[in-house]
Each structure stands twice: as structure tokens, then as C-alpha cells.
Amino acid sequence: MIQDLTKGRPTNIILLFAFPIIIGNIFQQIYSVVDSVIVGRYVSYQALAGVGITNGLTFFVFGFVIGITSGLGIKTAQFFGAKNYEKMRQSLGTGFLICIGMSVLLTFFSLVTIDPMLRLTGATEDIYDYSRSYLLITYIGLTAQIAYNMVACILRALGDSKTPLYFLIFASVLNIILDVLFVKTLGWGVNGAAWATVVAQLVSAVSCFFYVFEKYPELRLSKEDFKTTWQFVWDHLRIGLPMALQFSITAFGVIVMYAALNSFPTTFIAGFTTASKIQSLGMLVPISLGVAIANYVGQNYGAGNIIRMRVGVNSALIMSLVVCLVVSILISVFAKPLTSMFLDPEAVGNVLEIYAASTQYLYVSALFFPFLFVLFIYRNALQGVGKTFMPLMAGFLELVIRIFASFILPKYFGYQGLILVDVSAWVGACLLLFVSYQIQMPKRKKYIYGEYL
């Protein structure tokens, strides 16, 4: 159901909007985690490590997709908040045209750069083929990822966070079934895990697309809505591109970090991969609150509700920190049982080394979660009002920190130093975004969309 986020108590509205996103992200992470669990248990720990080092490479591309579609959605949310429905539909049409072009360019770029990017990570011989096969199939299915994210961002921009959830649940269940079928039953190995994800995403994207435009007549576009101008396209890209680049820049820093990781034994890579998957589950709530805040701020900014906008951001910060405390405790307490899900103790001879590498990573990162959780709120709040430059600069700062830390910290502190690479990037970016928010967020009470009074 389309929802006006400019009305109602901010805390309640944000929670109600964010909850389906949280559940959806849980299911989205499930089929990412299931890939790793199935591969680790039914193929080998080398295959698990091979899939693991693709995290930065896939995030480099998929993060770009998430960023630009989120940016397009923010522009739509601003028009919706301003009650300018004609411009809202033109925004949707322009967004679809941008996504079609992006699909062609990104798929081509991703496929031709697989080998250079894998060499950049320093993937070792025993895991290289696993990584390459997984990436090749994943990139072939990139269009499905773009299609789903575009439709989901449109719905969230208009206040509907439930419909994307339903299709994510459907995709997750389908992915698990296909994972077991392709990997365990048919013995397709890493390729089976990749194809399971691609097929699940494709079916979900197509189903969601037809459902949405059948259920919501107000979203059915005419030929006129696809007539755009270069200026209108740039108005969307001005928000979307910095958000996309910010994700990809962060991902490049992760790639550099994985290049440093590849200097360690394969058991350490498998442990690091396992821990990063578990950590990603802990990040679901702040990510979801960030998405909710971006759309909440976008609509209220469009409506000129500046005070309400800032109250909502403060509420999200408090919620995020409370959740951070709970997540940090849970991950610290259950680090070993969670790690055990990814491994078959009878099949993996070096299981104790993998356990140690995974739990060590989780214990350290949990201590620094407050910086990461706050980072998501400030970054999305700034993006919701179209202030995309400083979030982009925060991404550059993360990149710089990761590059320098990846070369320095592991040299002096070993694997412990590698763990500190991530958390040092979180701290630096969080501090920059905190200062940026205090300076850049609109403060005046009297405001009309497009100009201050």
C-alpha cells in the first residue's frame, strides 16, 4: 500500500516502514548465506573461500546498482512528497530508461573485467577457478538484480515497503530449494549455487514487475511519461550517481582488503568469509533503517517538513544504537555456533583454524558496531535531501583508509591487523558524516520544495 510518510508520529512511521525492509533484507541475506553454507558443507572449504573472495567484486557491481536505483527512488519520493504526481510519473519513466542503459553497460563491463579484477584480489590457484565460475554466472544475471531493485525502490519511495518483502521471501525460499537441488543433488558445485541465486532473482523480478503494475494503476506509465530531457535525466543522476559511486568505492576498498587477505592461508580466508557472512546478518537492521530514513527524509523534504524530518532522523539514531547493543551481544555470544553452520567438521581437517579466524573477526568487529550503525543513518539522511557529495567523500575516505591499513596493519599485527582494516574505515567515515550532517542538513522551518523562504 502506498503510504504518505509526511503524516503520523515519526518514530512509529519509520518503524512500520522499516520493519518489512528488515524482514526482506533478512531473507535477501539468507540466500547469500545459504550459498556459502551449501558450498562449504557439500563442496569444500576451498570452494567456500573462492566464493568468499568474490564478495568485494560482486558488491562493487551490485552496490553500484543499489546506489543508483536508490537515488532514482529518492527523486521520485521528493515529487511524491510534494504531491506533484505528473512529475512523479515522469521520474519513474526516466528511471526505467536509465536502468535499461545501465543494465547493458554494467553487464558488459562486469563480464570483460572478471579476470583483471580477480588478479587484483590476488586469488590463489586453489580457489581461482571457483571464484571465476561464480562471478561469471552471477554477472550474467545482473539484469534481474537491476530490475528488482528498481521496482522495489519505486515502491519504497511511495511508502510501500511490504510488497518488495513478499517477493524477497519468495525468492529466498526458491533459492534455498534450488541450492539444494543444484549443489547437493545434481552436484553442480559452485556453479549450482550461482545459478540458484540468478534464477531466484529473475523469477522474483519478473513476478514483482507484473504484480506492481497490475495492482497500482497510478504507476502505469504512458508514452508521454518516457519523454524526458537531458536536464531531467541529470537531475536524477545527480543524486543516483554519487550514491552508486559511494557503494562501488567502498567495495573497491573491500577488494583491496581481500587482496591482503589472500596472503594468508586458505583456512584464514574461509574463516574471514564465514565471519563476514555472519556480520552481514548483524548489519541488516541499520541498513534497513537507513533505507527507511532516505525515503522518509525524501518525502518530508519534498513537503517542506524540515523539523519533522530532523525529528525522524534523531529517532532512527536512537533505535539504531539500541539495536546495535543487542546485535553486538548476540554475535559475541553465538560466534562459535554461527560459524559451525558453514562447516562440516568431519570433512574439514583444518576446522579449528577456520573457527579461530571467524570468531576472532566477529569479537573485534562487534566492539566497533556503533560507528557502523550510526554511519548508515547519517549517510542516508543526507542522501534523502539530495546532499550526495559528502556521503561520496565518506566513501573515498573509507577507500583511502582501507588501502593504507591493508598494507600496513597486517604487516605488523598479522590477521588481527587485517580485521582492524574494516573497523578503522567505519570510524573514519562515521566521524566525517556526523560533521557533514550537522552542517548540511536543512534547519529553517519555512520551506517550499525547491527553495527556502
Side-chain angles (χ1 to χ4, degrees):
M1 180 178 68
I2 291 176
Q3 183 179 3
D4 189 345
L5 302 179
T6 64
K7 300 176 181 178
R9 187 179 177 186
T11 301
N12 293 345
I13 289 293
I14 293 168
L15 276 175
L16 289 173
F17 185 79
F19 185 73
I21 302 174
I22 293 170
I23 302 301
N25 281 336
I26 288 173
F27 278 92
Q28 193 167 36
Q29 282 298 326
I30 282 174
Y31 65 71
S32 173
V33 170
V34 164
D35 278 352
S36 297
V37 170
I38 296 292
V39 167
R41 282 186 168 269
Y42 298 109
V43 186
S44 66
Y45 76 88
Q46 290 91 344
L48 173 62
V51 171
I53 70 162
T54 66
N55 287 344
L57 297 176
T58 53
F59 185 47
F60 182 76
V61 177
F62 291 160
F64 190 93
V65 171
I66 293 169
I68 201 162
T69 51
S70 297
L72 298 177
I74 285 173
K75 196 66 182 176
T76 303
Q78 291 177 353
F79 286 127
F80 181 72
K83 305 297 186 290
N84 190 337
Y85 300 119
E86 181 181 353
K87 283 291 185 181
M88 181 195 76
R89 284 189 291 272
Q90 290 178 2
S91 176
L92 296 180
T94 299
F96 279 120
L97 293 176
I98 291 172
C99 284
I100 291 171
M102 180 176 65
S103 178
V104 174
L105 293 175
L106 272 185
T107 301
F108 175 78
F109 170 82
S110 301
L111 291 174
V112 300
T113 58
I114 287 179
D115 288 311
M117 295 297 279
L118 269 177
R119 284 194 291 270
L120 180 63
T121 67
T124 54
E125 186 177 346
D126 60 336
I127 64 176
Y128 188 93
D129 288 340
Y130 292 122
S131 301
R132 192 182 191 284
S133 297
Y134 191 83
L135 283 174
L136 180 63
I137 296 167
T138 300
Y139 288 156
I140 288 173
L142 184 59
T143 298
Q145 178 87 359
I146 294 172
Y148 172 79
N149 274 280
M150 183 61 198
V151 178
C153 287
I154 289 171
L155 289 171
R156 289 168 186 154
L158 275 57
D160 181 0
S161 58
K162 293 181 180 179
T163 301
L165 166 63
Y166 303 145
F167 286 96
L168 267 179
I169 293 174
F170 169 71
S172 300
V173 173
L174 179 59
N175 184 80
I176 293 170
I177 294 171
L178 294 177
D179 260 324
V180 174
L181 175 64
F182 292 166
V183 180
K184 183 181 179 181
T185 305
L186 299 180
W188 289 3
V190 167
N191 290 356
W195 277 119
T197 301
V198 168
V199 172
Q201 288 176 338
L202 179 61
V203 173
S204 178
V206 173
S207 302
C208 188
F209 183 87
F210 283 106
Y211 174 82
V212 165
F213 288 97
E214 177 66 27
K215 182 175 180 180
Y216 296 113
E218 57 267 55
L219 297 181
R220 296 173 191 168
L221 307 181
S222 66
K223 291 182 180 180
E224 295 298 317
D225 295 320
F226 289 94
K227 293 181 179 179
T228 188
T229 65
W230 286 112
Q231 181 59 50
F232 200 58
V233 170
W234 174 244
D235 287 342
H236 287 72
L237 291 178
R238 181 178 56 82
I239 297 176
L241 277 179
M243 292 178 68
L245 290 173
Q246 173 249 308
F247 276 104
S248 292
I249 289 167
T250 301
F252 190 78
V254 174
I255 293 171
V256 172
M257 185 176 67
Y258 269 94
L261 175 64
N262 280 322
S263 64
F264 291 87
T266 303
T267 51
F268 280 79
I269 301 174
F272 193 94
T273 296
T274 300
S276 65
K277 292 294 182 182
I278 296 169
Q279 178 184 278
S280 67
L281 292 173
M283 292 165 55
L284 294 178
V285 173
I287 290 173
S288 303
L289 281 173
V291 173
I293 277 297
N295 289 282
Y296 171 88
V297 167
Q299 283 197 21
N300 282 280
Y301 179 68
N305 297 331
I306 304 303
I307 300 301
R308 175 183 171 82
M309 182 179 71
R310 295 179 69 89
V311 169
V313 173
N314 292 336
S315 297
L317 282 169
I318 294 171
M319 288 186 281
S320 186
L321 288 173
V322 170
V323 171
C324 175
L325 177 62
V326 175
V327 169
S328 297
I329 292 172
L330 289 176
I331 284 184
S332 298
V333 171
F334 295 103
K336 291 183 179 179
L338 289 169
T339 298
S340 67
M341 294 190 310
F342 293 77
L343 303 167
D344 180 0
E346 296 180 1
V348 180
N350 298 313
V351 67
L352 293 180
E353 291 183 16
I354 299 174
Y355 271 127
S358 175
T359 54
Q360 187 178 6
Y361 179 101
L362 292 172
Y363 292 149
V364 174
S365 63
L367 293 174
F368 290 87
F369 267 2
F371 292 96
L372 181 64
F373 278 50
V374 169
L375 182 155
F376 283 114
I377 302 300
Y378 283 132
R379 181 169 66 195
N380 282 278
L382 287 167
Q383 290 168 339
V385 296
K387 304 290 186 179
T388 55
F389 179 74
M390 290 313 296
L392 178 60
M393 290 300 100
F396 272 113
L397 180 60
E398 284 191 66
L399 173 62
V400 171
I401 292 174
R402 280 196 171 94
I403 290 175
F404 280 98
S406 293
F407 284 105
I408 296 172
L409 295 181
K411 180 179 179 180
Y412 292 100
F413 302 102
Y415 182 72
Q416 183 82 22
L418 186 69
I419 297 171
L420 294 174
V421 171
D422 242 350
V423 299
S424 59
W426 300 345
V427 173
C430 179
L431 294 177
L432 177 60
L433 289 170
F434 169 77
V435 174
S436 301
Y437 177 84
Q438 304 306 321
I439 296 173
Q440 289 192 302
M441 283 296 282
K443 299 179 178 65
R444 300 186 187 182
K445 296 181 181 180
K446 301 180 73 175
Y447 175 79
I448 295 177
Y449 182 59
E451 62 177 295
Y452 287 103
L453 295 178

